[in-house]
Amino acid sequence: MPPLEIYLDLSPMDLTITPLTWLLYYAGFYVMQVVLAFYTLGSFRWEVLLLASVSFPIYVRALLNVVLRREQAWHVTGRKGAYRSPFAFMQPQVLFFQFLLVTTLVAVWKSVESGHVTLALAWNATNTLILGGFVVTAWREGRRARAELRAASRTPDAAAAPAAVPAPAATVDA
């Protein structure tokens, strides 16, 4: 919804409520997410909400498969020992992040011109930060995995190295 309001000036609701009332409405939503995560997992971690928010391609595909009554086959994600960049698995998130980043910049520009900050800008910027954090984490993980792979390829494998042959023991004739 925020991009629709930012680009097309479509407002899905009339915000004639106070910021405190708005905060109370949304606090209930987010508190319920935290309580639900704590109840189902026995603890709460922010990563759970982050993962839920960046898993949208999986949910969209599942919804389409149900609506179209298609079976989804399970696919192996990779060969053991083969390296694939995390970005190979998150193209929709990267594209959506780029779209949200551009949209946030457009909203900032429009806010500067109009003289007031909109709720759409706040939500769009929040979503951009969430997806941006995910993209940066994947980038760091990819760099770490590549460095480990390079280090492992430089270090000779202990099993492949020839075993040391002990020198024959000296014999003394008595």
Side-chain angles (χ1 to χ4, degrees):
M1 290 308 296
L4 289 176
E5 185 174 339
I6 291 166
Y7 288 121
L8 305 175
D9 292 327
L10 296 176
S11 183
M13 64 187 116
D14 180 20
L15 289 179
T16 56
I17 60 175
T18 66
L20 178 61
T21 305
W22 179 85
L23 181 65
L24 289 174
Y25 286 146
Y26 282 98
F29 172 73
Y30 285 112
V31 167
M32 181 54 90
Q33 283 189 324
V34 171
V35 168
L36 185 62
F38 192 82
Y39 178 74
T40 58
L41 300 173
S43 66
F44 173 75
R45 292 179 15 181
W46 287 106
E47 292 86 356
V48 172
L49 291 179
L50 176 65
L51 184 60
S53 66
V54 299
S55 297
F56 66 88
I58 297 166
Y59 299 128
V60 170
R61 178 177 278 173
L63 177 65
L64 288 175
N65 286 338
V66 168
V67 169
L68 299 174
R69 298 177 186 226
R70 290 190 312 205
E71 291 289 325
Q72 179 67 43
W74 180 76
H75 300 284
V76 177
T77 56
R79 296 184 314 268
K80 190 171 186 167
Y83 171 76
R84 287 194 62 189
S85 168
F87 289 101
F89 302 101
M90 53 182 277
Q91 293 159 347
Q93 289 91 340
V94 171
L95 291 172
F96 205 70
F97 167 71
Q98 292 170 339
F99 170 71
L100 288 177
L101 183 62
V102 169
T103 303
T104 300
L105 295 174
V106 168
V108 167
W109 175 68
K110 288 176 87 172
S111 292
V112 167
E113 283 197 351
S114 70
H116 69 279
V117 177
T118 65
L119 185 59
L121 169 59
W123 276 116
N124 204 79
T126 301
N127 292 333
T128 304
L129 288 174
I130 290 169
L131 270 177
F134 183 70
V135 169
V136 167
T137 300
W139 178 72
R140 286 181 181 163
E141 177 65 24
R143 287 189 63 199
R144 184 192 60 77
R146 279 192 308 270
E148 287 176 1
L149 190 63
R150 274 190 243 119
S153 67
R154 288 185 203 137
T155 307
D157 188 14
V165 179
T171 56
V172 179
D173 291 331

